[in-house]
Amino acid sequence: MAHIVGQSRYQATLYPETLDEVIAADSTVRVIDGFVDSLDLAGLGFSNVEAEATGRPPYDPRDLLKLYVYGYLNQMRSSRRLEREARRNVEVFWLINRVRPVFKTIADFRKDYPEVIAGVCRAFIKFCREQSVFGGEVLAIDGSKIAAAASRKQVITKAKLAERDAAIERKIADYLTAMDEADAEETPLEPTKTDVAAALAALRAQRAELQQQAEQLVQEGLKQKVLGEPEAKLMRTPRGHQVAYNAQIAVDAQHDMIVAFDLTNEGNDLQQLHPMARQGKAAVGADQVSVVADTGYANGAHGKQCEQDGITAIVPHGERVNPKGKQYFSRDQFSYARESDSWGCPAGEVLQLFKTSHTKQKKEYRTQACPGLSAEIAMHRGSAADHRARLP
């Protein structure tokens, strides 16, 4: 039995008559092409949208943007790889009309238009909404830590600055001692003396710089700062502590499309529920939406804000840790009764409202079953955030 064979690569053929015949009618590149062609690139902030009458012709920013979007959808971040695709990939041939930009042109395009490309992403969200791609009923919110360019050595804190300042002080003292010893010698070595003086001057300059950095931390009210990349922070990630950003996204449940995104330097997600839910609701253009998130977003105040904005937040409470010992109930074992404004104890007792402090924004609850026991509840949280009760 013979194998399935094709045609000789040296056989002349008239196929295909056009490159368009090779691309499937439902190919993703056709969506990219239609989307980019519908954009007002000049209004978004791209230059060279209209070529000048004189000078060397530039690449059309539409072609470079199409190539960038194609690389994003196909997980190609390298500009060198995109250059190779432009020379061998039939879909890319069709998409950018066989132009072949070199990797530096591709890299410079992304480097020169970071904010404009973010605007393109928002325009794509609007495009999806107009095409009724979003369900607009349920959104999922999550975050991911993205490593920054700066290393951990660039992170400065008050403790690190004090440690470095103390080390410089010790070195300065050593150099001063060395200079005193050199002066005491009968035949001092002038080159050594000169080297010590130069090193001493350099150390004093370093100390002055450290003091200036410490003053900046105090003035800006920061606990840490990353030199060269002040927007980033040292935070805990799945790969240990790294200088990173906390990227936030809201995804529509119907087609898993990103509807909202943001980049923060918060080390956790505790303050991100309401902002991301509000952005997602505005993006899908719905009057009422439900959002789901993991326990890292559990925040009673944000849940209340979501409710006021027509957003139903579905977020599980995290597992409560009781550091005081097993003789105490953990906070999640108490149940709140809204009608009577009281708390049910796991031992079967009820803690009634004792007094309300509007200045401290707290309520105090007590029960006769446990004399001397009281529980203070933060009013804005609406949960037993600080409550512990001893077994009666």
Side-chain angles (χ1 to χ4, degrees):
M1 180 180 293
H3 295 103
I4 297 176
V5 296
Q7 295 181 349
S8 170
R9 61 174 62 94
Y10 303 108
Q11 175 66 47
T13 179
L14 296 177
Y15 176 81
E17 294 182 357
T18 64
L19 186 60
D20 188 71
E21 295 179 7
V22 181
I23 307 302
D26 58 351
S27 175
T28 306
V29 292
R30 293 187 182 274
V31 179
I32 297 173
D33 184 68
F35 165 65
V36 174
D37 286 344
S38 69
L39 296 176
D40 177 11
L41 297 191
L44 287 170
F46 287 102
S47 59
N48 297 322
V49 177
E50 298 295 335
E52 298 291 340
T54 59
R56 185 178 184 276
Y59 282 100
D60 190 334
R62 296 178 184 84
D63 291 335
L64 296 177
L65 181 58
K66 291 175 183 179
L67 182 60
Y68 174 81
V69 175
Y70 180 87
Y72 172 79
L73 292 178
N74 290 275
Q75 301 180 2
M76 300 178 189
R77 300 178 60 184
S78 168
S79 55
R80 292 183 182 273
R81 183 174 178 185
L82 289 175
E83 178 187 6
R84 290 196 298 270
E85 295 300 308
R87 297 174 183 273
R88 70 181 184 89
N89 189 316
V90 177
E91 284 188 332
V92 178
F93 289 173
W94 181 91
L95 184 62
I96 60 176
N97 300 307
R98 290 183 180 267
V99 295
R100 297 182 176 183
V102 297
F103 74 92
K104 190 175 186 309
T105 300
I106 301 170
D108 287 345
F109 176 77
R110 291 190 290 195
K111 181 184 69 174
D112 294 341
Y113 299 107
E115 296 180 359
V116 180
I117 290 176
V120 171
C121 294
R122 294 185 174 91
F124 182 71
I125 293 172
K126 180 181 178 182
F127 172 80
C128 291
R129 184 172 66 241
E130 292 172 349
Q131 302 302 317
S132 300
V133 175
F134 298 143
E137 298 175 356
V138 180
L139 306 177
I141 299 174
D142 203 357
S144 179
K145 305 295 175 55
I146 299 177
S151 68
R152 292 185 60 177
K153 295 180 180 179
Q154 298 299 106
V155 180
I156 58 172
T157 63
K158 292 181 180 179
K160 281 188 177 181
L161 290 176
E163 183 180 343
R164 293 176 186 175
D165 187 65
I168 289 178
E169 287 286 353
R170 289 193 298 269
K171 288 185 179 181
I172 289 176
D174 292 341
Y175 279 124
L176 289 174
T177 301
M179 292 181 70
D180 291 339
E181 292 175 353
D183 289 339
E185 292 181 1
E186 294 183 0
T187 56
L189 299 176
E190 191 65 26
T192 303
K193 201 173 176 184
T194 303
D195 293 341
V196 170
L200 185 61
L203 287 173
R204 285 174 174 165
Q206 291 180 22
R207 184 177 62 180
E209 183 180 357
L210 290 177
Q211 291 174 347
Q212 183 180 5
Q213 291 174 352
E215 291 175 0
Q216 288 179 351
L217 284 179
V218 174
Q219 292 173 358
E220 297 175 10
L222 300 176
K223 294 183 178 179
Q224 63 166 275
K225 188 175 183 179
V226 182
L227 299 177
E229 200 168 355
E231 299 85 2
K233 277 190 177 180
L234 181 66
M235 60 183 69
R236 184 182 300 171
T237 73
R239 296 167 295 280
H241 283 81
Q242 290 183 336
V243 180
Y245 298 94
N246 189 356
Q248 297 288 318
I249 60 171
V251 180
D252 181 76
Q254 181 170 342
H255 294 295
D256 300 332
M257 299 288 290
I258 296 176
V259 300
F261 58 92
D262 200 0
L263 196 64
T264 74
N265 56 14
E266 295 286 341
N268 55 54
D269 302 325
L270 191 61
Q271 302 298 325
Q272 305 305 319
L273 176 63
H274 179 248
M276 292 308 302
R278 185 174 56 185
Q279 287 187 46
K281 179 175 178 287
V284 299
D287 296 330
Q288 298 283 334
V289 296
S290 296
V291 298
V292 295
D294 58 31
T295 56
Y297 292 84
N299 185 317
H302 280 230
K304 184 176 181 180
Q305 290 175 324
C306 286
E307 184 178 1
Q308 292 172 348
D309 289 342
I311 302 169
T312 302
I314 304 172
V315 184
H317 284 289
E319 183 179 355
R320 305 297 186 182
V321 178
N322 187 0
K324 296 297 183 179
K326 294 183 178 180
Q327 71 271 28
Y328 291 94
F329 293 131
S330 60
R331 66 183 69 168
D332 57 341
Q333 292 179 277
F334 291 79
S335 58
Y336 179 69
R338 185 184 297 272
E339 296 79 10
S340 59
D341 192 11
S342 61
W343 288 88
C345 173
E349 302 296 335
V350 177
L351 285 82
Q352 302 289 349
L353 178 63
F354 178 71
K355 67 178 180 180
T356 300
S357 174
H358 293 285
T359 57
K360 296 182 179 180
Q361 287 292 300
K362 287 185 178 181
K363 290 183 176 181
E364 185 177 341
Y365 297 80
R366 291 185 180 182
T367 176
Q368 296 298 325
C370 300
L373 172 68
S374 64
E376 287 188 348
I377 311 299
M379 293 169 61
H380 67 279
R381 292 182 183 175
S383 63
D386 301 311
H387 179 51
R388 301 185 187 94
R390 193 180 184 89
L391 282 168

